[in-house]
Amino acid sequence: FADTFPGHEHAAVVLGAAAEDLYGLEDYAAAATAARALIERYPAADAGLRRTAWSVVAHSSFERADYLAAEPAYAEVLRMTPAEAEGRQALVDNLAASIYKQGEQASEAQDYRAAAGHFLRITERAPTSSIRPSAEYDAAAALMKLQDWTAAASVLDSFRVSFPEHELNGQATKQLAFVYREGGETSLAAAEYERVAAEATDPELAREALLAAGDLYEQASDVDRALGVYERYVAGFPRPVDVAVETRSKVAEMYRARNDEARYHEH
């Protein structure tokens, strides 16, 4: 009808109904084609009708895994949706998902730089989306695969600041400690391992983190902090005995090097 009578007063409405019906029938390619035809042919059509057409394009593109097309379509729907409208947040999440899927595709292709870029775009384009925290964390993971320690550290630090209560926050601290160590930031790495130890619910994790922190402070020539960490270790972890004895001996030698005979003999 729309093709035969393009100038008919109801042509746009009929074309919109066809697009919705085709989407309902899961004929996503035809639905998107019909919806785009409405958008292109009838720029003066009712705003609600055009918004519905953009929605069909967005949803159909997403269903067909054409996320590159879905993203601008969702953006257009959001542009035409009032800020207070019911269901707007779902659209924000859909926009974020279309970007996130592009990141996943890039990651599968081992283009980790592009993947990180897509994941981080969610922060800009859909900051209130529910998947933003996971996207930022995944961006850091992609940057770690590139061994871009500086960028990865920046993303992980921002993640912890933005989402202090998120379930991945503890993992972010462990990753940040690893990233700082790999990047040669020994003092920063040591501080993060101290935080890992303080937040750990697993005693073994806390024990290993304290040892790592002490070793890194030693590498950084920060004797005071190294001693503080090792003192906490020997006080809190008498077992394994061999490691406790070795650590206590290390503490004693550190005091001896500082000519603190009293503390040396104490240990």
Side-chain angles (χ1 to χ4, degrees):
F1 179 89
D3 288 341
T4 305
F5 307 105
H8 194 281
E9 61 179 324
H10 297 305
V13 174
V14 171
L15 192 53
E20 288 189 89
D21 287 346
L22 287 164
Y23 180 79
L25 292 169
E26 300 183 5
D27 189 346
Y28 301 123
T33 298
R36 285 193 180 281
L38 189 159
I39 293 164
E40 293 167 5
R41 294 182 196 174
Y42 304 103
D46 175 76
L49 187 60
R50 289 175 58 78
R51 180 182 178 279
T52 298
W54 275 116
S55 296
V56 170
V57 172
H59 294 320
S60 295
S61 298
F62 193 93
E63 292 291 345
R64 298 176 66 213
D66 186 357
Y67 307 116
L68 191 62
E71 180 187 344
Y74 280 123
E76 193 64 28
V77 178
L78 279 166
R79 188 186 67 79
M80 303 175 73
T81 302
E84 69 282 359
E86 183 179 355
R88 182 180 173 85
Q89 185 56 48
L91 289 170
V92 172
D93 287 339
N94 287 340
L95 172 62
S98 67
I99 300 171
Y100 186 86
K101 288 292 186 180
Q102 292 176 65
E104 284 188 326
Q105 289 175 332
S107 185
E108 288 170 5
Q110 298 185 352
D111 187 350
Y112 300 118
R113 184 70 62 186
H118 286 305
F119 293 141
L120 292 175
R121 281 198 304 116
I122 292 174
T123 301
E124 300 173 4
R125 302 212 63 195
T128 62
S129 67
S130 59
I131 65 172
R132 175 187 165 187
S134 296
E136 288 193 16
Y137 188 85
D138 289 345
L143 291 166
M144 288 170 66
K145 288 180 179 178
L146 293 169
Q147 297 187 6
D148 188 343
W149 308 122
T150 301
S154 177
V155 172
L156 286 166
D157 190 53
S158 175
F159 173 89
R160 288 195 314 186
V161 171
S162 299
F163 311 105
E165 303 301 322
H166 196 274
E167 61 182 359
L168 289 173
N169 199 276
Q171 281 296 117
T173 298
K174 287 190 281 187
Q175 297 284 41
L176 192 53
F178 172 80
V179 164
Y180 279 140
R181 182 165 64 181
E182 291 299 307
E185 300 282 357
T186 50
S187 291
L188 292 175
E192 293 303 329
Y193 277 115
E194 277 197 274
R195 180 168 175 170
V196 170
E199 295 177 353
T201 56
D202 178 3
E204 182 61 18
L205 174 60
R207 186 183 74 82
E208 292 178 353
L210 276 180
L211 284 177
D215 180 61
L216 287 163
Y217 278 134
E218 279 194 87
Q219 291 179 38
S221 300
D222 192 336
V223 178
D224 287 338
R225 289 188 176 181
L227 278 170
V229 169
Y230 286 142
E231 292 274 22
R232 291 205 303 277
Y233 181 89
V234 296
F237 299 97
R239 290 182 175 77
V241 174
D242 58 335
V243 180
V245 170
E246 180 183 345
T247 304
R248 186 176 290 276
S249 176
K250 182 181 291 189
V251 170
E253 289 302 321
M254 291 171 75
Y255 279 123
R256 185 179 187 178
R258 303 178 79 177
N259 298 315
D260 190 336
E261 290 296 320
R263 300 301 299 273
Y264 168 68
H265 289 294
E266 179 182 323
H267 287 80

